[in-house]
Amino acid sequence: MPEKPTLDGLEDRWARVWEDEGTYAFDRSATREQVFSVDTPPPTVSGSLHVGHVFSYTHTDIVARFQRMRGKKVFYPMGWDDNGLPTERRVQNFYGVRCEPSLPYDPDFTPPEKPGKQQIPVSRKNFVELCETLTAEDEKAFEALWRRNGLSVDWSHGYQTIDARARAISQRAFLHNVERGQAYVSMAPTLWDVTFRTAVAQAELEDREHTGAWHRIAYHRGEPGDGGPNGASDDVFIETTRPELIPACVALIAHPDDERYQPLFGTTVRSPLFDVEVPVLAHPAAEMERGAGIAMCCTFGDLTDVAWWRELDLPNRTIINRDGRLLRDTPDWITSEAGRQRWEELAGATVHTAKERIVAMLQETGELVGDVRPVTRPVKFYEKGDKPLEIVSSRQWYIRNGGREAAGDHAGVRDEMLARGRELAWHPEYMRHRYEDWVRGLNGDWLVSRQRFFGVPVPVWYPLDGDGEVIPDKPLTPDDAALPVDPTTDVPPGYTAEQRDVPGGFTGDPDVLDTWATSSLTPQIAGLWSVDDDLFARVFPMDLRPQGHDIIRTWLFSTVLRSHLEHDSLPWAHAALSGWILDPDRKKMSKSKGNVVTPMGLLEEFGSDAVRYWAAGGRPGVDTAFDRGQMKVGRRLAMKLLNASKFILGVGVGDTQRSGAGPVDGDTQRSGAGPVDGDTQRSGAGPVDAGGEPDLSAVSAPLDRALLARLTEVVEKATAALDDYDYAVALEVTEQFFWFFCDDYLELVKSRAYGEFDEAGRDSARATLAAALRVLQRLFAPVLPFVAEEVWSWWQEGSVHLASWPDIHELATSAEADPQVLTVASDVIGGIRRAKSEQKLSIRTEVESLSVQAAPAALEALREALADVRAAGRVRDVELVVSSDGELVTTVGGPTA
RNA sequence: GGGCGCGUAGCUCAGCGGAAGAGCAACGGCCUUACAAGCCGUCGGUCGCAGGUUCGAAUCCUGCCGCGCCCA
């Protein structure tokens, strides 16, 4: 025990010891019942860490540490999500390169010291190598931070979502889905981001307010003309915000009940400018009050168009390319001479330019009627993009998730997913609604293919027919042993490399899987499904998935789905949803302001325990303000634990404990882990209490018994809270007790513990202090692992993190406790302090006379602790008066300075 | 527009049917043989608003208002 205890340096010292001793190593001989397994969120390795990471990962660590102390073998791996668009973009910016798949691999390529203004094109393989180089650097920094933060992760169970093992598992699970018909390829209208040039899934959408304008436009009845107006009285007016889609129009649609348009149903009209004949149709999705009440259905302006196109069996007249520009060639459905000439002016234009030109043409022909009226309306965006999504037709892979089942379809995947949601234990419980809303609101299957370069390749090839055309519905799949594969370089079974991309040969699927298609398998990847099935059986289904509430619709949902499809089970029993971190002024931290706080800086300034303390104060699921004040409080608490431990041990409690304790092996029995000897204990096999339990037979003072009784309640509450994943309540009750213990109980028993009274009283106090300290150090261990380990090491053998969680039986005394002894003594000492403070006297000042009025029972209780109260308050004479109203009143008389 | 959550002391938040709480801040003290980066004490609130249920409502119900998130 150091002379002057300090928090400085504890992190480095104990982190090294834990690493050397393998304190958190997973014991893979444990059976599933003995294991507590965590599906740790793999952080996205595409930049720097955020205080939010520290916040939520600390919550999980507290739970893991608690379960470990309860005797569970904790499977707590760490993964890195280095697969996907964020990494791809970061590599582009960091090295100043871009992926150009047509280039050959350059084994000698080295990126420039500083990225230039022009991005250097590199081959796909070079690009992927740079991704791996950069993420490896980031991952080192992440691991250093997590160790400093005190996460009790077993670092030997790491993974990367882009590593070969994860790729193989991801591809294997996908191929299983294909075999079972749960995954399929389909040519369909797809939401498309023109900037990233990739398809986008429903889960990645967000609505944003976008400014547009209503254009009132004339469609014509009667005979075909030259594209200009004829017989204006016969015109049908529609209102649209997207006049550039007139060439893609396939029908006009109104509500079947709309009397204005009923006469037109079944007839045709001709489009302005292009003179293309389209039918007028009825569909209930047309909104009578919106615009003119009749809508232009184009392929494809929005998802309603897709629904109409599908349900009314309309032709596909797509005019927008995947680059966001209009087709170069004139579409064959535009036949009029004027129409074809007008297309010439539009060919290859961006959507934006095309709109301007078409509006100008409409003004010229007089087919644009009235004023253009600005409007702001929600438009779908890719969450990472900044241009509105287009809808293009493309061939994509989908996994069935129930989203295509009609609302009334029962016993389908949708219902099964809803049942899984009810089966899962949610913390907090109300987060379940987010999941249910999402499942109910699904409107299509999960689109899993992405037109990107860096990711897990879609592991299939397609045969080519005699003309070199792809035969999409007969994909070629690899042998399981060959996984992972890259179809752009590997060859399918039964083919040779020379047959690539030649008629009668094959072609590789160029796409990669959505990152969620891999992330949705983190329990399988971490648990080594299909790689080490013995391990997998010991950890799966897992116990806990901790994650943010913002990704319930993506990560949580997709993980439940994949597990349901592959294993017919939930992936875990519990889901714990953590809240967000907010700036002190409840706003987002802004990098431009430079007020972003780096986690490592905080850990260094306040100490890791203090930062963890702040994190532990955030209730499960509740958004929490970033609060340096709470970190200061946490640091003070850690200091207090140091000082209180030093004081108690300095009084001599260790002697009492060792002399009286005798051999105790209750804890190792409780852990139930099988044969335990010294060596396996040291290597982390189970809870160890080498110091043994204090002997409570010496506890004779009523005040001491009351203290232990109150601590028993604390243990019960903290344990129940942690069992329910509520680390915040556990900390709160522990902390509250601890301050009371220091401020009142320690002050009360100081003199007696020093041995200023009789020997029995002294031994009683020392035994109580030892028992209480031993419990408190362990109660704090999950939240404050460094300082708890430090103070534990002063007098106990082994790691506090492998000690058994406090049990109420440790605190049982032979005689019944009267809690009032403690409360009355505490109240009276408080009264004395108040009197001294009001008279601005030193706390050491002697009190000549003390008068206590109280109910008879309270006075009786006070008598039991009177010697302690008098010593603590420096009271000479005491008078106890039975009070008529039962209220406790302390009167301090004649203190002499 | 729908779902969910939240409006309690200057700030951050507990409490969620039985006398309004904690910490921080503010203010006033105390060198007290564990801790002055400490300790003691004091001040501070129509529990968002309006109804209702109840012997009793911050707590349950209804409706508003405001904030946030998720989804249309």
Side-chain angles (χ1 to χ4, degrees):
Chain A
M1 186 167 78
E3 191 65 32
K4 188 84 180 167
T6 174
L7 297 173
D8 298 330
L10 292 187
E11 290 90 348
D12 284 344
R13 179 142 50 92
W14 289 113
R16 193 172 308 125
V17 171
W18 295 334
E19 173 69 11
D20 292 346
E21 307 266 314
T23 307
Y24 308 124
F26 176 62
D27 173 7
R28 71 162 293 164
S29 70
T31 62
R32 181 65 197 85
E33 293 69 36
Q34 297 167 330
V35 167
F36 183 84
S37 46
V38 182
D39 183 18
T40 315
T44 304
V45 184
S46 60
S48 51
L49 280 154
H50 191 267
V51 279
H53 284 107
V54 169
F55 180 69
S56 55
Y57 280 77
T58 297
H59 298 163
T60 306
D61 185 60
I62 292 168
V63 171
R65 287 180 180 279
F66 165 69
Q67 293 289 347
R68 191 179 291 112
M69 292 175 76
R70 294 216 94 185
K72 291 283 190 179
K73 310 301 173 187
V74 175
F75 182 70
Y76 188 11
M78 180 61 71
W80 309 115
D81 189 11
D82 41 18
N83 164 22
L85 205 43
T87 301
E88 193 174 317
R89 293 176 84 180
R90 178 160 155 74
V91 166
Q92 286 180 352
N93 295 333
F94 190 87
Y95 293 114
V97 299
R98 69 182 163 83
C99 183
E100 181 48 63
S102 63
L103 289 175
Y105 176 62
D106 176 2
D108 299 323
F109 177 78
T110 43
E113 286 286 315
K114 277 189 172 180
K117 279 189 179 166
Q118 284 290 322
Q119 289 184 335
I120 304 167
V122 299
S123 75
R124 173 166 167 161
K125 190 169 176 185
N126 283 115
F127 190 84
V128 169
E129 280 178 2
L130 290 176
C131 289
E132 286 170 342
T133 306
L134 185 59
T135 55
E137 287 299 309
D138 290 339
E139 283 155 18
K140 270 187 229 160
F142 273 47
E143 181 176 336
L145 184 111
W146 287 148
R147 284 179 183 273
R148 172 85 188 203
N149 190 46
L151 296 194
S152 58
V153 159
D154 180 349
W155 290 98
S156 67
H157 284 276
Y159 65 88
Q160 297 157 285
T161 53
I162 196 60
D163 68 23
R165 205 175 72 204
R167 291 204 306 272
I169 289 171
S170 179
Q171 292 184 332
R172 181 171 296 121
F174 175 77
L175 290 167
H176 286 192
N177 294 143
V178 174
E179 281 167 27
R180 296 191 207 100
Q182 295 158 342
Y184 61 93
V185 67
S186 171
M187 185 78 175
T190 308
L191 286 159
W192 187 269
D193 186 285
V194 297
T195 309
F196 292 102
R197 297 197 191 180
T198 184
V200 173
Q202 186 184 353
E204 295 166 303
L205 300 183
E206 62 185 38
D207 284 1
R208 292 186 203 155
E209 288 299 316
H210 193 65
T211 52
W214 287 115
H215 300 73
R216 188 171 170 85
I217 290 168
Y219 274 69
H220 313 296
R221 307 187 63 193
E223 294 302 307
D226 61 358
N230 61 336
S233 61
D234 282 343
D235 283 350
V236 177
F237 297 98
I238 60 101
E239 299 204 349
T240 180
T241 57
R242 302 205 57 185
E244 72 275 17
L245 290 178
I246 289 171
C249 179
V250 291
L252 297 190
I253 295 175
H255 195 279
D257 298 339
D258 195 329
E259 295 179 0
R260 293 171 294 178
Y261 300 109
Q262 278 172 355
L264 296 178
F265 293 149
T267 70
T268 62
V269 294
R270 287 172 297 106
S271 62
L273 302 182
F274 302 97
D275 205 27
V276 175
E277 188 170 12
V278 297
V280 181
L281 302 171
H283 192 278
E287 296 175 58
M288 285 195 265
E289 291 78 27
R290 188 181 167 90
I294 185 163
M296 179 170 83
C297 172
C298 306
T299 52
F300 296 94
D302 60 22
L303 293 174
T304 309
D305 286 344
V306 176
W308 282 333
W309 170 78
R310 191 173 281 138
E311 290 176 32
L312 300 172
D313 200 20
L314 296 165
N316 188 338
R317 292 178 181 158
T318 296
I319 59 166
I320 297 173
N321 259 329
R322 296 179 184 194
D323 57 4
R325 291 172 180 274
L326 269 56
L327 301 176
R328 268 73 178 172
D329 299 333
T330 307
D332 54 15
W333 60 85
I334 299 177
T335 53
S336 80
E337 193 52 39
R340 295 184 74 85
Q341 276 175 18
R342 288 183 173 120
W343 183 269
E344 295 292 311
E345 296 176 40
L346 301 169
T350 63
V351 169
H352 185 78
T353 307
K355 179 183 289 185
E356 285 180 351
R357 290 186 187 161
I358 282 194
V359 167
M361 291 176 192
L362 289 167
Q363 279 167 338
E364 202 174 297
T365 61
E367 290 167 303
L368 177 66
V369 182
D371 292 333
V372 171
R373 303 197 318 281
V375 62
T376 304
R377 72 225 187 282
V379 170
K380 293 201 183 310
F381 280 73
Y382 175 37
E383 59 188 0
K384 296 188 176 75
D386 48 25
K387 281 188 181 166
L389 291 172
E390 295 295 343
I391 297 174
V392 304
S393 289
S394 60
R395 185 162 47 238
Q396 303 285 351
W397 280 95
Y398 296 83
I399 291 179
R400 295 185 202 281
N401 62 13
R404 279 183 68 182
E405 295 161 11
D409 278 3
H410 286 298
V413 177
R414 192 194 296 267
D415 278 356
E416 289 164 11
M417 291 301 286
L418 287 170
R420 291 293 180 205
R422 288 188 290 271
E423 191 185 339
L424 182 61
W426 297 77
H427 308 274
E429 165 66 28
Y430 61 74
M431 291 292 179
R432 185 192 308 275
H433 296 284
R434 304 260 184 111
Y435 175 90
E436 296 208 342
D437 288 351
W438 175 250
V439 176
R440 290 208 169 89
L442 285 169
N443 58 26
D445 281 335
W446 177 16
L447 192 163
V448 292
S449 45
R450 292 290 182 281
Q451 290 66 52
R452 303 304 304 176
F453 320 112
F454 181 60
V456 176
V458 174
V460 300
W461 302 261
Y462 306 97
L464 299 176
D465 64 17
D467 298 326
E469 290 296 314
V470 170
I471 308 172
D473 52 350
K474 293 205 163 59
L476 306 164
T477 56
D479 293 330
D480 187 84
L483 299 177
V485 297
D486 183 347
T488 62
T489 53
D490 296 325
V491 175
Y495 289 83
T496 63
E498 290 70 34
Q499 291 174 279
R500 183 182 296 277
D501 295 329
V502 298
F506 72 92
T507 189
D509 191 313
D511 293 346
V512 297
L513 291 166
D514 175 11
T515 61
W516 294 115
T518 301
S519 302
S520 60
L521 297 164
T522 50
Q524 289 86 348
I525 294 169
L528 297 183
W529 169 71
S530 74
V531 175
D532 182 348
D533 282 325
D534 174 74
L535 176 71
F536 190 64
R538 295 173 195 275
V539 301
F540 186 90
M542 295 200 170
D543 290 276
L544 176 63
R545 155 63 72 82
Q547 66 163 75
H549 57 64
D550 53 322
I551 50 175
I552 289 173
R553 64 175 178 160
T554 48
W555 195 33
L556 192 148
F557 170 77
S558 62
T559 311
V560 172
L561 176 68
R562 300 305 290 284
S563 177
H564 174 69
L565 296 178
E566 185 64 43
H567 309 287
D568 192 22
S569 80
L570 274 177
W572 359 258
H574 299 265
L577 289 308
S578 66
W580 289 99
I581 290 306
L582 304 171
D583 208 47
D585 53 357
R586 301 229 141 243
K587 283 175 192 164
K588 243 181 143 181
M589 297 189 184
S590 92
K591 272 182 194 166
S592 56
K593 275 187 173 178
N595 66 346
V596 174
V597 192
T598 67
M600 193 55 102
L602 290 173
L603 295 176
E604 283 165 357
E605 179 179 356
F606 295 100
S608 297
D609 287 334
V611 177
R612 291 173 62 102
Y613 171 88
W614 159 72
R619 250 72 187 172
V622 177
D623 295 348
T624 302
F626 173 73
D627 190 352
R628 296 172 69 88
Q630 280 304 103
M631 296 178 198
K632 271 170 75 176
V633 174
R635 185 170 179 87
R636 218 175 49 167
L637 175 64
M639 282 295 299
K640 194 76 173 177
L641 187 56
L642 279 181
N643 283 315
S645 297
K646 177 190 156 202
F647 169 67
I648 291 168
L649 297 176
V651 168
V653 304
D655 309 337
T656 313
Q657 181 201 347
R658 292 226 168 84
S659 61
V664 176
D665 60 358
D667 286 321
T668 48
Q669 283 173 7
R670 254 200 302 283
S671 76
V676 175
D677 60 27
D679 288 345
T680 55
Q681 282 178 3
R682 208 166 292 264
S683 69
V688 182
D689 287 331
E693 290 182 16
D695 180 8
L696 293 185
S697 64
V699 176
S700 55
L703 185 74
D704 300 340
R705 286 204 298 267
L707 187 277
L708 294 177
R710 188 183 287 197
L711 181 53
T712 300
E713 286 176 33
V714 170
V715 170
E716 283 173 335
K717 283 182 187 164
T719 306
L722 280 165
D723 267 330
D724 195 33
Y725 297 87
D726 196 342
Y727 44 82
V729 164
L731 171 60
E732 189 182 2
V733 296
T734 304
E735 186 189 10
Q736 196 193 355
F737 174 86
F738 179 61
W739 287 108
F740 164 80
F741 173 78
C742 290
D743 297 342
D744 285 11
Y745 180 76
L746 280 188
E747 296 301 329
L748 281 167
V749 297
K750 231 177 219 183
S751 299
R752 180 154 55 89
Y754 280 139
E756 290 173 15
F757 310 152
D758 57 276
E759 209 167 280
R762 183 199 67 188
D763 291 347
S764 175
R766 289 184 180 180
T768 305
L769 288 171
L773 184 66
R774 216 167 143 279
V775 167
L776 282 166
Q777 289 178 347
R778 282 173 292 157
L779 288 178
F780 279 123
V783 178
L784 311 173
F786 294 103
V787 72
E789 187 76 310
E790 172 71 11
V791 294
W792 185 260
S793 75
W794 292 344
W795 65 316
Q796 303 285 324
E797 296 289 325
S799 171
V800 70
H801 302 297
L802 297 175
S804 67
W805 184 252
D807 187 295
I808 56 169
H809 302 299
E810 295 175 33
L811 298 170
T813 51
S814 49
E816 188 82 3
D818 176 8
Q820 204 176 5
V821 176
L822 188 58
T823 54
V824 170
S826 173
D827 287 346
V828 171
I829 198 81
I832 295 168
R833 282 197 294 239
R834 194 176 310 113
K836 288 178 179 174
S837 182
E838 276 164 2
Q839 296 174 54
K840 304 191 179 180
L841 293 169
S842 159
I843 213 80
R844 265 173 42 173
T845 310
E846 268 201 7
V847 173
E848 267 183 14
S849 68
L850 171 73
S851 167
V852 179
Q853 291 180 38
L859 293 180
E860 198 54 43
L862 178 58
R863 256 186 213 106
E864 303 277 15
L866 202 51
D868 290 335
V869 170
R870 286 180 59 188
R874 294 183 164 250
V875 176
R876 198 175 300 167
D877 299 320
V878 179
E879 179 192 22
L880 303 183
V881 182
V882 174
S883 121
S884 48
D885 59 1
E887 196 173 338
L888 187 129
V889 179
T890 52
T891 314
V892 175
T896 54

